[in-house]
């Protein structure tokens, strides 16, 4: 089957490469010539484990090509819209400008009977808007097939997804022949696209457009709720002298709750969860559903509050003031195994540290090249060991394996003062304390450690020393 993928950013590039690996002939279309050129060389324009190999395989077999021209999508039986839907610059609502532009550019090249399928995360009612855009083409079918990719595991999520969701006109009742029960229209076309996955037993849910539009946002809102809930409880644990790591472990053993996303720390960021919960809040407000609107506002507020809380704890470890302190931040990407810095909690905290007068050095295994242009008052260092040299305080803000496995002895020989704020609660606190480090977590038993005094003294084993001028 010939398929086009319109928009070759994070979602589109992964989707195009995955479809080609299933045996389809796929053309990816994007307006950015640089991105298209890089993809055509088998190189992803962002870090995603396994994607380069998938791209190179598709290019080598000839099943995968990339273009800047929408006309190259001509002849495809199914067209996937995979463009970004970022938060609007002036509100919490999703900006659908790119989606509308992509649909308008594609339509002249869509054959009669072909299917246009949205994959982007959109607010409810988007399909109705696209129907208006496509009103001159009643011979084209429309469907919605939301994505559920996680950065860092997107290739696996595409090749072995948890589920497939089809939003079609009329929903489940209209998706199958009343006589034979066989899928019809857009449902049949999507079944042909995903035949290898369906044959492998991946579950498929067919629903109406509104349900398909809401599924991804609702799922992300629930995950964000779990994260913000345990972070709020972490603050309660600090106040009460409890340990949130032990508490969340016990909670997660309850099968009704589960342990995933129940890990306290700095909170979530990236290009999906923050903008999706704000978009859902905006949708709820427009529909008069105040319970969801208020809930999402609370979840967002708790998440952003973790950043201010981390800054306050860092200041406490420096005797109350960050001015003149040399601080090393471990992590720039919003999560490990990606170079994405969109709404990165790590970089937000690092920038706030600098605004408070600290001399901040940020390191990251993959994201340094993206970050240094956008954060000019921060110093960036690709090497973890070089970044640690002379630090008076270390903050672990993105839980890369490299930082989880960092030797406290090796790190201790490089810093001026052995004090670490583990804002992801992933370090072996006992091992670090055994090497003379003062360890502070968020909501953990290490949170009650006394702050390192800010008075002059020798710079060894967590002892205080003079501030930088």
């Amino acid at each position: 089957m010939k398929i086009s993928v319109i928009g070759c950013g994070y979602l589109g590039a992964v989707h195009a490469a995955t479809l080609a690996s299933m045996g389809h002939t796929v053309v990816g279309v994007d307006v950015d010539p640089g991105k298209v050129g890089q993809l055509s060389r088998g190189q992803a324009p962002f870090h995603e484990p396994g994607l380069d190999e998938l791209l190179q395989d598709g290019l080598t077999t000839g099943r995968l090509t990339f273009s800047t021209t929408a006309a190259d999508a001509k002849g495809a039986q199914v067209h996937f819209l995979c463009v970004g839907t970022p938060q609007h610059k002036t509100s919490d609502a999703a900006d659908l400008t790119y989606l509308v532009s992509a649909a308008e550019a594609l339509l002249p090249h869509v054959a009669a009977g072909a299917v246009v399928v949205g994959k982007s995360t959109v607010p409810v009612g988007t399909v109705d808007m696209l129907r208006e855009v496509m009103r001159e083409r009643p011979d084209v079918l429309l469907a919605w097939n939301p994505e559920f990719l996680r950065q860092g595991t997107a290739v696996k999520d595409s090749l072995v997804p948890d589920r497939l969701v089809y939003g079609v006109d009329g929903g489940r009742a209209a998706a199958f022949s009343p006589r034979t029960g066989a899928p019809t229209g857009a449902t049949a076309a999507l079944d042909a696209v995903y035949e290898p996955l369906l044959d492998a037993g991946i579950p498929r849910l067919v629903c109406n457009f509104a349900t398909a539009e809401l599924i991804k946002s609702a799922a992300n809102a629930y995950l964000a709720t779990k994260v913000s809930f345990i972070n709020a409880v972490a603050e309660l644990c600090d106040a009460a002298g409890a340990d949130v790591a032990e508490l969340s472990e016990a909670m997660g053993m309850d099968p009704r709750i589960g342990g995933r996303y129940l890990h306290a720390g700095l909170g979530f960021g990236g290009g999906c969860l923050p903008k999706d919960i704000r978009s859902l809040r905006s949708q709820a407000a427009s529909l008069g559903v105040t319970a969801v609107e208020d809930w999402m506002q609370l979840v967002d507020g708790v998440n952003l509050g973790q950043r201010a809380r981390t800054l306050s704890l860092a200041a406490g470890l420096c005797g109350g003031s960050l001015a003149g302190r040399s601080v090393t931040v471990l992590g720039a990407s919003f999560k490990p195994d990606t170079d994405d810095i969109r709404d990165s909690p790590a970089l937000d905290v690092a920038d706030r540290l600098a605004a408070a007068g600290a001399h901040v050095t940020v390191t990251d295994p993959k994201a340094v090249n993206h970050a240094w242009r956008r954060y000019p008052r921060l110093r960036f260092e690709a090497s973890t060991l070089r970044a640690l040299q002379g630090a008076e305080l270390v903050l672990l803000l993105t839980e890369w394996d490299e930082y989880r496995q960092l030797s406290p002895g090796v790190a201790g020989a490089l810093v001026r003062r052995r004090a670490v704020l583990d804002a992801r609660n992933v370090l072996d606190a006992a091992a670090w304390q055994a090497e003379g480090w003062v360890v502070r977590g968020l909501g953990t038993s290490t949170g009650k450690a006394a702050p390192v005094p800010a008075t002059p003294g020798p710079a060894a084993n967590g002892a205080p020393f003079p501030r930088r001028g």
Side-chain angles (χ1 to χ4, degrees):
M1 176 182 288
K2 182 176 179 180
I3 298 172
S4 82
V5 174
I6 311 302
C8 295
Y10 184 84
L11 165 61
V14 174
H15 192 54
T18 301
L19 292 174
S21 75
M22 295 179 188
H24 299 295
T25 300
V26 183
V27 56
V29 179
D30 197 281
V31 296
D32 184 344
K35 186 187 298 179
V36 167
Q38 196 168 347
L39 288 166
S40 296
R41 295 190 297 273
Q43 301 170 348
F46 47 84
H47 175 69
E48 180 60 39
L51 181 55
D52 282 357
E53 293 82 356
L54 210 60
L55 288 167
Q56 291 159 14
D57 179 69
L59 294 167
T60 299
T61 62
R63 290 194 296 266
L64 180 62
T65 57
F66 293 95
S67 171
T68 57
T69 305
D72 288 338
K74 187 175 181 179
Q77 297 155 275
V78 178
H79 305 268
F80 285 96
L81 299 177
C82 296
V83 297
T85 53
Q87 184 176 330
H88 202 281
K89 293 180 179 179
T90 59
S91 73
D92 286 340
D95 184 353
L96 301 180
T97 303
Y98 304 111
L99 184 65
V100 172
S101 297
E104 289 175 340
L106 174 66
L107 272 183
H109 312 291
V110 178
V115 186
V116 174
V117 185
K119 281 200 73 68
S120 308
T121 303
V122 295
V124 66
T126 297
V127 172
D128 291 336
M129 180 196 65
L130 286 180
R131 276 174 164 161
E132 182 62 22
V133 173
M134 297 170 57
R135 65 185 180 279
E136 302 299 327
R137 294 298 309 274
D139 55 336
V140 175
L141 298 175
L142 186 59
W144 214 263
N145 173 219
E147 57 89 8
F148 300 101
L149 304 187
R150 298 166 296 172
Q151 286 174 265
T153 60
V155 171
K156 175 181 177 295
D157 292 343
S158 295
L159 294 172
V160 192
D162 296 322
R163 72 285 203 197
L164 296 167
V165 174
Y166 306 166
V168 298
D169 197 9
R172 186 179 306 175
F176 303 93
S177 166
R179 184 173 62 85
T180 66
T184 61
T187 302
L190 286 169
D191 277 357
V193 170
Y194 294 120
E195 183 178 3
L197 302 183
L198 295 171
D199 287 347
I202 302 300
R204 177 253 271 152
L205 170 69
V206 181
C207 56
N208 64 19
F209 286 134
T211 305
E213 290 168 327
L214 279 171
I215 283 173
K216 178 66 182 295
S217 294
N220 278 352
Y222 182 74
L223 297 178
T225 295
K226 289 189 75 172
V227 174
S228 285
F229 171 80
I230 201 62
N231 282 338
V233 171
E235 188 170 2
L236 180 63
C237 287
D238 271 344
D243 189 314
V244 75
E246 296 172 355
L247 182 148
S248 61
E249 182 181 7
M251 287 180 61
M253 291 177 180
D254 187 329
R256 298 170 301 172
I257 298 172
R260 298 188 67 185
Y261 283 79
L262 206 63
H263 184 89
L266 180 54
F268 55 83
C272 291
L273 259 65
K275 66 102 174 174
D276 286 351
I277 64 173
R278 292 164 194 160
S279 174
L280 189 61
R281 183 174 68 196
S282 177
Q283 295 172 60
S286 68
L287 294 170
V289 185
T290 57
V292 174
E293 179 187 5
D294 294 345
W295 194 335
M296 291 302 98
Q297 185 170 356
L298 178 61
V299 168
D300 198 15
V302 170
N303 185 59
L304 294 177
Q306 288 298 96
R307 305 177 187 188
R309 184 172 173 232
T310 299
L311 185 73
S312 177
L313 294 173
L317 284 167
C318 290
S321 175
L322 290 159
R325 296 291 191 174
S326 293
V327 178
T328 294
V329 168
L330 303 180
S333 58
F334 84 92
K335 63 178 284 189
D337 297 318
T338 180
D339 58 359
D340 195 340
I341 61 169
R342 289 176 294 174
D343 200 1
S344 166
L347 285 172
D348 188 8
V349 170
D351 202 45
R352 295 187 193 203
L353 291 166
H359 303 287
V360 183
T361 299
V362 180
T363 186
D364 189 279
K366 295 294 180 181
V368 166
N369 288 338
H370 291 307
W372 71 267
R373 298 182 184 89
R374 291 182 55 185
Y375 292 85
R377 64 179 167 186
L378 302 178
R379 175 177 176 265
F380 289 90
E381 175 59 69
S383 165
T384 301
L385 298 184
R386 285 198 296 269
L388 287 168
Q389 290 178 353
E392 305 175 41
L393 175 64
V394 178
L395 282 78
L396 195 162
L397 302 186
T398 308
E399 62 273 34
W400 287 91
D401 283 343
E402 176 179 332
Y403 306 146
R404 291 172 180 265
Q405 298 164 9
L406 186 63
S407 165
V410 171
L414 297 171
V415 299
R416 293 180 65 195
R417 184 176 65 171
R418 298 187 181 188
V420 60
L421 173 52
D422 178 13
R424 294 296 182 179
N425 292 338
V426 295
L427 296 179
D428 182 343
W432 284 70
Q433 289 167 337
E435 291 288 344
W437 286 80
V438 170
V439 181
R440 180 65 158 98
L442 273 65
T444 68
S445 57
T446 56
K448 293 302 178 181
V452 178
T455 54
N461 292 324
F465 57 93
R467 299 178 187 172
R468 285 177 55 180

